[in-house]
């Protein structure tokens, strides 16, 4: 009996969440006295997974799976789980895996716990701690089914190395036309930038920037940090920034180590979407902005004066400590 993880990749390279999931899976496997198997889809070189405790990789190479298809990918994971007779399937909380997890759970007749934020509280009975109520509370959930599917909240566990002897095996699951009821017509990709999903630091701007012509202040600070840029919903609605940068409950969720909010008042939907970030820095001219109530650090002042100085200080600090 092994633990199965789905190690996500893009353009042949593993995403950061794959290593976090492997690290988490290794600890769960140790508590259950078993091993970790990963299933990959068109991932290329898989040897890096051995650094994080993966014992075996089922490598799927199939041109039909070049573009993400929830039903087809879920079928691959199901067949991998059945092949390895696993009792615990681990997925991340990326956009793709949030589609996959319920489909995998149904196909395996398994209980599913999403937004898991730590190692199992107990393995007998099997209980996990989860975010609840838009990350405002925690819940302890018990899964009683024989097979269990867990969705690990992003950036909730971290990455830790645990070298293992890796076995690689080519895996060719059965995939039919029924798996492709939804087909991808085109894919738009952002190139040359840190993605919001993989970023440790996210710098986000709101209407307080007053216009798209001032967005270079956000980009300059993000560049100094090596961070991703993001925005509030009104900013994307106004067309200042693309919708791919809209974060919040109705946009992309953010679980960064540092989230910097500039000129964002802090609507409840925005805060709910970024609340999993570990440290929140708010810069706003309005001392009564709701965002300050949830901020770890707050600066009341003019962003047009603060951001250039902060950017310069970050550059100086990095130059002195490089």
């Amino acid at each position: 009996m092994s633990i199965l993880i789905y190690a996500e990749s893009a353009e042949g390279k593993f995403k950061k969440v794959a290593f976090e999931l492997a690290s988490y899976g290794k600890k769960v496997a140790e508590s259950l006295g078993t091993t970790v198997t990963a299933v990959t889809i068109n991932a290329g070189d898989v040897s890096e997974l051995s650094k994080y405790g993966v014992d075996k990789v089922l490598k799927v190479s199939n041109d039909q799976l070049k573009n993400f298809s929830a039903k087809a990918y879920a079928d691959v994971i199901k067949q991998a789980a059945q092949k390895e007779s696993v009792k615990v399937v681990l997925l991340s909380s990326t956009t793709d895996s949030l589609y996959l997890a319920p489909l995998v759970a149904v196909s395996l007749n398994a209980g599913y716990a999403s937004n898991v934020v730590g190692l199992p509280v107990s393995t007998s009975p099997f209980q996990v701690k989860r975010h609840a109520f838009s990350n405002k509370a925690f819940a302890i959930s018990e899964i009683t089914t024989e097979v269990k599917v867990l969705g690990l909240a992003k950036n909730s566990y971290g990455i830790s190395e645990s070298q293992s002897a890796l076995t690689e095996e080519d895996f060719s699951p059965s995939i039919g036309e029924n798996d492709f009821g939804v087909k991808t017509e085109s894919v738009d990709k952002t190139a040359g930038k840190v993605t919001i999903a993989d970023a440790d630091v996210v710098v986000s701007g709101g209407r307080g920037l007053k216009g798209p012509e001032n967005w270079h202040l956000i980009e300059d600070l993000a560049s100094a940090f090596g961070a991703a840029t993001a925005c509030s919903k009104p900013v994307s609605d106004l067309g200042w920034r693309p919708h791919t940068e809209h974060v919040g409950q109705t946009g992309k969720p953010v679980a960064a180590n540092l989230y910097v909010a500039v000129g964002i008042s802090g609507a409840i939907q925005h805060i709910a979407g970024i609340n999993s970030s570990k440290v929140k820095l708010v810069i706003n001219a309005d001392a009564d902005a709701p965002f300050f109530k949830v901020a770890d650090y707050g600066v009341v002042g003019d962003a047009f004066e603060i951001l250039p100085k902060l950017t310069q200080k970050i550059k100086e600090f990095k130059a002195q400590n490089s």
Side-chain angles (χ1 to χ4, degrees):
M1 179 189 76
S2 177
I3 286 176
L4 181 72
I5 71 167
Y6 166 49
E8 286 192 50
S9 61
E11 298 180 349
K13 296 182 179 180
F14 288 114
K15 298 180 180 180
K16 175 185 172 183
V17 292
F19 304 134
E20 182 174 21
L21 202 61
S23 303
Y24 179 86
K26 177 64 175 178
K27 286 297 180 183
V28 176
E30 287 177 350
S31 67
L32 295 174
T34 186
T35 57
V36 181
T37 296
V39 58
T40 65
I41 300 176
N42 296 330
D45 182 13
V46 301
S47 60
E48 195 172 6
L49 290 175
S50 66
K51 291 169 55 179
Y52 306 99
V54 175
D55 300 288
K56 180 180 180 180
V57 178
L58 298 178
K59 301 189 299 182
V60 177
S61 298
N62 190 318
D63 287 341
Q64 286 182 289
L65 302 172
K66 180 179 179 181
N67 292 319
F68 177 75
S69 169
K71 194 170 186 302
Y73 276 45
D75 202 9
V76 168
I77 297 169
K78 178 200 75 171
Q79 291 180 55
Q82 291 173 333
K83 177 183 181 301
E84 297 296 307
S85 300
V86 303
K87 300 303 179 188
V88 180
V89 179
L90 303 178
L91 296 102
S92 65
S93 292
T94 63
T95 302
D96 287 354
S97 284
L98 288 174
Y99 280 112
L100 289 174
L103 296 173
V104 172
V106 169
S107 66
L108 293 172
N109 196 27
Y112 167 48
S114 60
N115 295 318
V116 175
V117 295
L119 295 171
V121 177
S122 166
T123 56
S124 184
F126 198 94
Q127 297 177 328
V128 290
K129 184 179 180 180
R130 307 168 53 233
H131 276 311
F133 302 112
S134 297
N135 303 327
K136 294 185 180 67
F138 296 105
I140 303 297
S141 298
E142 182 175 330
I143 307 177
T144 59
T145 52
E146 182 180 9
V147 180
K148 301 154 183 68
V149 176
L150 306 183
L152 183 66
K154 285 191 292 185
N155 208 26
S156 63
Y157 184 75
I159 297 174
S160 59
E161 293 190 10
S162 180
Q163 189 67 45
S164 63
L166 187 68
T167 300
E168 300 180 21
E169 179 182 327
D170 291 329
F171 178 49
S172 300
S174 174
I175 302 172
E177 285 299 317
N178 290 337
D179 288 319
F180 297 95
V182 177
K183 296 186 178 181
T184 301
E185 293 292 333
S186 64
V187 178
D188 293 329
K189 296 182 179 179
T190 301
K193 294 183 179 180
V194 181
T195 65
I196 293 172
D198 293 331
D200 288 324
V201 181
V202 174
V203 179
S204 187
R207 283 181 293 181
L209 271 295
K210 298 182 179 179
E213 67 276 7
N214 298 316
W215 209 258
H216 65 91
L217 295 171
I218 296 294
E219 292 174 330
D220 289 346
L221 181 57
S223 178
F225 270 124
T229 59
C231 68
S232 62
K233 185 177 186 298
V235 165
S236 63
D237 286 345
L238 287 166
W240 295 2
R241 300 301 296 170
H243 284 282
T244 54
E245 291 190 8
H246 163 210
V247 298
Q249 192 172 34
T250 56
K252 290 186 176 180
V254 172
N257 287 326
L258 172 63
Y259 182 77
V260 183
V262 182
I264 301 174
S265 61
I268 189 170
Q269 294 89 347
H270 188 91
I271 292 173
I274 62 90
N275 216 25
S276 292
S277 296
K278 293 182 179 178
V279 177
K280 294 173 277 292
L281 166 62
V282 174
I283 300 171
N284 202 299
D286 181 6
D288 296 321
F291 221 141
F292 283 118
K293 295 180 181 179
V294 299
D296 296 287
Y297 300 95
V299 180
V300 178
D302 186 347
F304 297 97
E305 295 180 4
I306 294 170
L307 290 191
K309 294 178 181 179
L310 179 58
T311 299
Q312 184 59 34
K313 288 295 183 182
I314 295 298
K315 289 180 178 179
E316 291 174 1
F317 177 82
K318 284 195 169 184
Q320 293 169 3
N321 292 274
S322 60

